[in-house]
Amino acid sequence: MSETILEAHGLVKRFGDFEAVRGIDVSIARGESFGFLGPNGAGKTSTMRMISAVSAPTSGSIRIFGLDPTTDGPAVRSRLGVVPQEDNLELELSVRLNLEMFGRYFDLPRRVIRERTRELLAFAQLSERAEDRVDDLSGGMKRRLTIARALINQPELLILDEPTTGLDPQARHLLWDRLYRLKRDGVTLIVTTHYMDEAEQLCDRLVVMDHGRIVAEGAPRALIEQHSSREVVELRFSTDSHEEFLDVLAPFAPRVEALPDRALLYVDDGDATLHDIHASGLTPASALVRRSSLEDVFLRLTGRTLVD
Amino acid sequence: MLTRVLPSFGSRRSWRVFERNFMVYRTQWLMLVSGFFEPLFYLLSIGIGLNRLVGTIDVGGRPISYAAFVAPGMLATSMMNGAVIDSIFNTFFRLRISHAYDAVLSTPLDVTDVALGEVWWALARAAVYSASFLVCMTLLGDTVSAWVILCWPAALVVSLAFSSLGLAATTYIRSWQDFDLVSLVQLPIFLFSATFFPISVYPRWLGALVAASPLYQAATLMRGLGLGQFSWVMIPRLAYLVALGAVGLTIAARRFRRILVP
Ligand SMILES: Nc1ncnc2c1ncn2[C@@H]1O[C@H](COP(=O)(O)OP(=O)(O)OP(=O)(O)O)[C@@H](O)[C@H]1O
Ligand SMILES: [Mg+2]
């Protein structure tokens, strides 16, 4: 692909004795949108903080814009936009001053700050609340303001850690729309999310992390093809544990998994499988055939589900 | 010593932190006003109340009014209280509650800019409040020497010492409950630092303890300057305060880094 905007090798982050990130290699091209997926505690946020030139890696190397963030931190950060997982707005300041002050940190001229603040307030749908104290906003409004704030310096690389957590569906689509437009303008995006649909929609390429390591990497469709079957049959039985059905279902599919509330059969032809199951006399309370999704890949790779 | 510690970290970007605090302060005008009236209240209460009761006091073989004796010490106390409010309460809020510093660190500023910016802020605040204190003091007739003007730069050193110690202490505070501990330290320092009476009233063992109190050193230094009674002991007093400031700042910068960018 084109120019590499971010490159990391053997990235490790240790907190005391605990190794949160255990050797990560990524290379991201300018204009790409790149995703980090993984269960809670996988090390996504720790990684994001290293690649946003905030926390120094315990070992390994990072180059962003061709610069080393440990020595050129300010220069790197001046070209980044960061949406942290936890909002960290200035609760003592108004909505407008939150944006304006952030612009000052980037040494932007006041006139530029005023213009961008107006535009970003509109984007965050907070123009009416501009003079209110941030403390009085709802959770989702604070989130929108945090996202808007990250755009004040028109970053080349935007790093978003679970940006849509806490947003209503409308605000979520508004953000997606904005991200598409930024991407069209050449901005590189790095996103973490727990919403698999979001990852499929937004990311050209993604990695799945687990226990501080990358366990898979690729385009969403490619990952699905590689790590899951074409279709999935979802069965619900009236039982306390779907694990009891694993043995019975095993002959019907190359791979069967039991979740607390349903059993999943990974097959090529879902309808045919379902037909066979009914013919065998099994009577699930409900049955559904669907295409494989990123969620299936995630469940498979992070071992959050049980048997293979 | 200060010039050796300060430029070793931070950049001109630290002024943005100053600017930020100013923005917050503007919205909290009540705090601004109270900071201005505090010295006036101190001086009036002493001047009208204690002054009548105590009358004159003998310092270095010279009788002076009790108000003139106690006012420089009050200035030192006011610097301590201001530093506690700003460096401890406000910094704790930004460090642990709103996580506002975390946001600042995702901009070109870094940890040392944040620490240094807070120091600039503490100094500027001290400059304004100590000036207003000295003006009130003069208007109320509690000055006996023109050398009192030297209390102004001295107040900045005192404020720097307490702000730096306060910043360092803040990094060890985990919850609002820990503030009781702050009061537990602050109150005896306030009461026993010989700001209201000469240290000679204490038995010798307690006197030694009091001498270690930064507020005692600050108050005594201020009193000497305010009365125009100079002595070589002022130099170690000043050095003690500067050293406390440098130690506080070094600890604060290191702890800030550990907390903010683990
Ligand atoms: N400052 C810290 N000190 C000690 N341990 C930490 C620190 N920050 C993170 N960790 C640990 O590192 C591991 C990875 O945390 P991280 O926040 O990177 O996970 P994550 O993938 O972002 O999870 P989530 O999806 O819940 O946000 C966790 O076990 C966490 O407890
Ligand atoms: Mg996280």
Side-chain angles (χ1 to χ4, degrees), chain A residues 1-272:
Chain A
M1 255 204 252
S2 61
E3 175 202 355
T4 301
I5 198 165
L6 185 147
E7 190 152 28
H9 289 295
L11 222 48
V12 171
K13 186 73 198 185
R14 211 174 286 131
F15 300 106
D17 293 337
F18 179 73
E19 216 169 45
V21 179
R22 312 177 175 198
I24 277 188
D25 300 286
V26 281
S27 174
I28 298 170
R30 186 178 285 278
E32 203 175 8
S33 62
F34 192 90
F36 281 88
L37 306 186
N40 294 138
K44 302 181 296 296
T45 298
S46 306
T47 305
M48 298 300 248
R49 281 172 59 82
M50 287 189 281
I51 62 181
S52 37
V54 171
S55 104
T58 308
S59 67
S61 70
I62 313 176
R63 306 225 37 114
I64 308 172
F65 312 123
L67 300 170
D68 180 351
T70 48
T71 52
D72 286 316
V76 170
R77 289 194 298 273
S78 69
R79 297 158 72 180
L80 291 182
V82 178
V83 177
Q85 181 170 356
E86 311 275 348
D87 291 330
N88 49 24
L89 297 160
E90 291 278 7
L91 301 178
E92 302 159 274
L93 292 176
S94 69
V95 171
R96 177 192 306 284
L97 287 180
N98 259 275
L99 293 172
E100 290 189 353
M101 189 59 229
F102 225 66
R104 299 291 297 156
Y105 289 134
F106 287 95
D107 269 340
L108 302 175
R110 290 184 192 277
R111 185 182 45 78
V112 173
I113 292 177
R114 261 197 305 279
E115 269 164 33
R116 289 189 192 167
T117 298
R118 190 177 330 111
E119 194 272 322
L120 288 172
L121 282 172
F123 158 63
Q125 298 183 295
L126 289 171
S127 302
E128 255 93 273
R129 307 292 300 263
E131 311 311 328
D132 291 4
R133 265 166 59 102
V134 163
D135 220 6
D136 300 335
L137 297 183
S138 79
M141 291 174 185
K142 283 186 190 143
R143 197 69 191 142
R144 279 168 7 213
L145 181 57
T146 305
I147 295 166
R149 191 183 64 175
L151 298 174
I152 194 96
N153 60 326
Q154 298 191 330
E156 292 166 53
L157 170 60
L158 188 58
I159 297 175
L160 308 107
D161 198 350
E162 300 190 25
T164 54
T165 302
L167 292 187
D168 65 28
Q170 195 242 358
R172 214 166 146 216
H173 284 284
L174 219 69
L175 175 64
W176 289 6
D177 178 57
R178 177 77 175 215
L179 294 180
Y180 288 134
R181 280 189 290 139
L182 286 168
K183 184 168 153 51
R184 200 188 52 208
D185 296 341
V187 174
T188 311
L189 305 174
I190 301 179
V191 194
T192 79
T193 178
H194 288 295
Y195 301 111
M196 297 302 135
D197 57 331
E198 187 164 284
E200 267 186 86
Q201 289 256 357
L202 286 178
C203 301
D204 300 329
R205 203 155 58 92
L206 50 86
V207 293
V208 179
M209 282 185 74
D210 197 20
H211 300 296
R213 290 206 175 81
I214 290 177
V215 292
E217 171 169 1
R221 280 294 355 142
L223 281 171
I224 294 168
E225 275 161 30
Q226 192 182 340
H227 295 282
S228 192
S229 56
R230 212 171 66 84
E231 292 187 333
V232 181
V233 180
E234 292 196 6
L235 301 176
R236 264 174 237 270
F237 293 95
S238 33
T239 172
D240 286 337
S241 161
H242 281 80
E243 281 187 58
E244 290 170 8
F245 287 84
L246 284 175
D247 288 342
V248 192
L249 293 171
F252 295 99
R255 188 161 74 96
V256 184
E257 294 202 359
L259 297 183
D261 63 332
R262 64 211 136 117
L264 303 177
L265 288 77
Y266 292 90
V267 294
D268 278 332
D269 185 343
D271 287 327

Side-chain angles (χ1 to χ4, degrees), chain B residues 11 18 20 38 44 49 64 68 74 87 170 181-182 189 195 221 230 259:
Chain B
S11 66
F18 180 92
R20 175 231 166 261
E38 188 195 277
L44 282 177
I64 55 169
M74 285 291 120
S87 296
T170 308
L181 216 62
V182 173
I189 289 185
T195 38
L221 177 70
F230 298 94
I259 294 170

Side-chain angles (χ1 to χ4, degrees), chain B residues 92-115:
Chain B
F92 173 75
F93 184 76
R94 292 166 211 151
L95 195 62
R96 301 281 190 185
I97 309 291
S98 73
H99 297 287
Y101 288 140
D102 288 292
V104 176
L105 295 181
S106 69
T107 75
L109 280 76
D110 62 25
V111 176
T112 50
D113 294 326
V114 170

